[in-house]
Amino acid sequence: MFWALNQITAPNLSYTDFLDLSVALGCQGVEVRNDLKRQLFDGLSPAEAGQMVRERGLRLVGLSQVYPFNFWSDDIERKVRDLIAIAKEAGAETISLIPRNEGIGTEAQERKANLETSLAAILPLLEEADLVALVEPLGFQRSSLRYKAELVDTINALGAAHRYKLVHDTFHHALADGGPIFASHTGIVHISAVVDPTLQLNQMEDEHRVLVDGLDRLDNVGQIKALQAAGYVGPISYECFSPLVHDLANPREAIQASFDFIESALKAG
């Protein structure tokens, strides 16, 4: 398994401690975020931060994020250029693009036009930098990009599958009512569980996203099995937003137990 850890899963740790936790868990990769209400890399230069990743035998598989990438403007272009520059200096393999998630631009014609405009504008920037962007459909009903099929169609129409990969997030896949799995277009898989039995799908939010165990309602194991059966071999990255996870006294033990549960369930068939 190519395990990775997203920084939002342990946001209270320093950058150094986050990397060390990833090593202790046997992860191969990390995703670092710029939305943790503190300086990216805790103020380290991107070059130094990237070197720290490599010294630990890890890969910097992702650098998040530009939001809302699909409402193109001079400001969004600047943010994309800035994130690309940081990614190149740090040695990050990808940047992340997140769609607007506020109930704006959700009508079919508008959202498709917005998506195509932004992807077409960003493409030459990625080509120049020789970089890949990960685009993450969000399954919330308020999202301006819910469905992976819509994203894949747009990427293919632009002939840009070498520069754009999608994020298969098990939480958002479930919220968007499932649908096709596009293993060859997938650049990373984000995992997290919802275990609260009282929630309907349309009531689930990021704050409910915890570690995967036997109470998981999102069928993480089934989704991972389907992706692997379709040929996916890339990173599977833990992305938990719940304060219950953030406040764990021993995150290494808890995350390791979840990794072990998932691997055992996958082997069990």
Side-chain angles (χ1 to χ4, degrees):
M1 295 288 287
F2 185 158
W3 290 121
L5 196 63
N6 188 295
Q7 200 175 12
I8 197 63
T9 303
N12 300 323
L13 295 184
S14 69
Y15 177 70
T16 302
D17 288 345
F18 166 68
L19 297 183
D20 289 342
L21 171 63
S22 301
V23 171
L25 287 166
C27 292
Q28 294 175 256
V30 290
E31 295 179 276
V32 180
R33 305 178 69 104
N34 62 4
D35 63 343
L36 298 182
K37 297 181 172 57
R38 66 182 203 246
Q39 284 185 292
L40 178 64
F41 303 127
D42 288 353
L44 296 168
S45 73
E48 184 178 0
Q51 182 63 26
M52 290 172 64
V53 172
R54 292 184 290 276
E55 286 173 350
R56 288 163 171 79
L58 297 166
R59 289 165 53 184
L60 183 50
V61 295
L63 185 61
S64 298
Q65 62 187 11
V66 174
Y67 174 90
F69 87 93
N70 57 336
F71 277 67
W72 194 245
S73 67
D74 291 344
D75 182 56
I76 295 298
E77 180 179 358
R78 178 185 58 77
K79 289 179 178 178
V80 171
R81 288 183 180 274
D82 288 350
L83 195 60
I84 286 175
I86 293 168
K88 294 299 290 184
E89 187 177 347
E93 298 176 18
T94 67
I95 62 168
S96 291
L97 306 176
I98 309 299
R100 194 159 192 169
N101 188 39
E102 302 157 47
I104 298 170
T106 60
E107 188 274 325
Q109 187 172 350
E110 181 181 5
R111 70 172 187 258
K112 291 178 182 179
N114 284 342
L115 178 63
E116 183 175 356
T117 295
S118 294
L119 292 186
I122 296 169
L123 181 58
L125 306 181
L126 298 172
E127 294 281 20
E128 181 181 4
D130 190 21
L131 196 65
V132 169
L134 299 175
V135 185
E136 182 164 13
L138 304 179
F140 301 119
Q141 293 182 3
R142 60 181 179 270
S143 171
S144 59
L145 176 59
R146 290 190 72 196
Y147 301 111
K148 292 191 290 295
E150 203 165 281
L151 173 59
V152 168
D153 286 346
T154 305
I155 291 171
N156 289 344
L158 291 170
H162 62 302
R163 291 298 173 203
Y164 290 114
K165 299 295 181 183
L166 62 86
V167 178
H168 180 109
D169 185 298
T170 56
F171 172 79
H172 290 297
H173 184 76
L175 264 59
D177 302 318
I181 287 175
F182 299 93
S184 64
H185 282 80
T186 299
I188 199 166
V189 175
H190 283 166
I191 61 171
S192 62
V194 175
V195 299
D196 186 336
T198 69
L199 295 171
Q200 301 298 315
L201 270 178
N202 62 7
Q203 296 174 311
M204 294 179 183
E205 295 288 343
D206 279 336
E207 68 200 53
H208 302 121
R209 296 171 66 175
V210 297
L211 297 172
V212 177
D213 61 17
L215 299 177
D216 174 34
R217 298 180 55 200
L218 305 179
D219 190 26
N220 275 266
V221 171
Q223 291 189 48
I224 294 170
K225 280 183 182 177
L227 283 157
Q228 291 180 335
Y232 179 76
V233 294
I236 297 175
S237 184
Y238 238 130
E239 189 185 45
C240 293
F241 288 80
S242 170
L244 296 175
V245 177
H246 298 170
D247 295 339
L248 285 170
N250 190 337
R252 189 205 65 76
E253 184 178 305
I255 297 170
Q256 186 65 63
S258 183
F259 280 165
D260 292 345
F261 168 80
I262 294 168
E263 289 186 353
S264 177
L266 290 171
K267 289 176 182 175

